[in-house]
Amino acid sequence: MDGVSYEISAIQTCCGDIQEDSDTLTLTFEYNAIEHPGTRYTDPEIVEAKTAGMTVQNNIIWSESAAISLRYSHQSNVSNNYLVGTGITVHGAYHTITGNFIDGSYDLKTGISMSRWGRRQPANCTTLPPTHDNLIQNNTILNTVNYGMRIGDCDYGACRPITDT
């Protein structure tokens, strides 16, 4: 339908500026098989965590360059997922990213991306939470366009350093 502004994603937890000491949601998203088609209404974040303590595990997800996104999140776990055309983006602290199989399917730019933090530009953009103390281990990443992993990229001017990861 023309002129309709909405986004399609599998799950979004919401909302706002989650602090490291926020209460955990204890939400588990597991054992799902999801096809996430690319349309003009499709959200590029197939799973969008804006909370503390989310677990995304044991899912099969295929998409056209989407991501499991820990955007405003802390203490989340992304493990043992089979991802085709789907990567993982990380902001925040105390996350564990382990045992995922990521096949970029030659369309995905980066398998796992962890950006720096701070105020984005222009001035009306959001502030990304401090990124530190994250664990990324035992993941398999194949067939990406640019990078298997990209750690420490500035995100629209949010360029404070990542520490203890």
Side-chain angles (χ1 to χ4, degrees), residues 33-51:
I34 299 166
E35 180 179 9
H36 187 253
T39 72
R40 64 182 174 166
Y41 301 116
T42 302
D43 191 320
E45 297 171 311
I46 192 164
V47 175
E48 185 176 354
K50 295 180 181 177
T51 188

Side-chain angles (χ1 to χ4, degrees), residues 46-108:
I46 192 164
V47 175
E48 185 176 354
K50 295 180 181 177
T51 188
M54 183 170 182
T55 298
V56 179
Q57 65 186 13
N58 303 315
N59 297 289
I60 299 169
I61 302 172
W62 59 100
S63 182
E64 296 175 17
S65 298
I68 294 173
S69 178
L70 306 178
R71 188 154 42 122
Y72 292 96
S73 179
H74 302 287
Q75 305 165 21
S76 292
N77 174 41
V78 179
S79 62
N80 303 315
N81 296 286
Y82 184 84
L83 309 173
V84 177
T86 302
I88 301 168
T89 61
V90 180
H91 298 104
Y94 307 108
H95 298 303
T96 303
I97 313 297
T98 59
N100 297 287
F101 182 90
I102 301 170
D103 180 351
S105 191
Y106 301 103
D107 290 328
L108 186 67

Side-chain angles (χ1 to χ4, degrees), residues 12-161:
Q12 179 188 60
T13 62
C14 210
C15 268
D17 188 11
I18 302 300
Q19 304 301 314
E20 289 180 40
D21 60 354
S22 297
D23 291 336
T24 58
L25 179 65
T26 62
L27 171 69
T28 301
F29 184 74
E30 66 180 340
Y31 300 112
N32 298 286
I34 299 166
E35 180 179 9
H36 187 253
T39 72
R40 64 182 174 166
Y41 301 116
T42 302
D43 191 320
E45 297 171 311
I46 192 164
V47 175
E48 185 176 354
K50 295 180 181 177
T51 188
M54 183 170 182
T55 298
V56 179
Q57 65 186 13
N58 303 315
N59 297 289
I60 299 169
I61 302 172
W62 59 100
S63 182
E64 296 175 17
S65 298
I68 294 173
S69 178
L70 306 178
R71 188 154 42 122
Y72 292 96
S73 179
H74 302 287
Q75 305 165 21
S76 292
N77 174 41
V78 179
S79 62
N80 303 315
N81 296 286
Y82 184 84
L83 309 173
V84 177
T86 302
I88 301 168
T89 61
V90 180
H91 298 104
Y94 307 108
H95 298 303
T96 303
I97 313 297
T98 59
N100 297 287
F101 182 90
I102 301 170
D103 180 351
S105 191
Y106 301 103
D107 290 328
L108 186 67
K109 291 181 182 176
T110 304
I112 297 175
S113 176
M114 184 182 303
S115 296
R116 296 184 194 192
W117 63 281
R119 183 101 177 128
R120 287 173 154 177
Q121 300 299 322
N124 63 344
C125 286
T126 57
T127 300
L128 295 174
T131 302
H132 61 89
D133 293 288
N134 295 296
L135 174 66
I136 300 173
Q137 71 178 19
N138 298 327
N139 297 284
T140 301
I141 304 170
L142 306 167
N143 305 322
T144 57
V145 174
N146 294 333
Y147 308 100
M149 290 178 56
R150 188 167 191 181
I151 308 298
D153 190 32
C154 288
D155 190 342
Y156 296 101
C159 294
R160 308 262 333 247

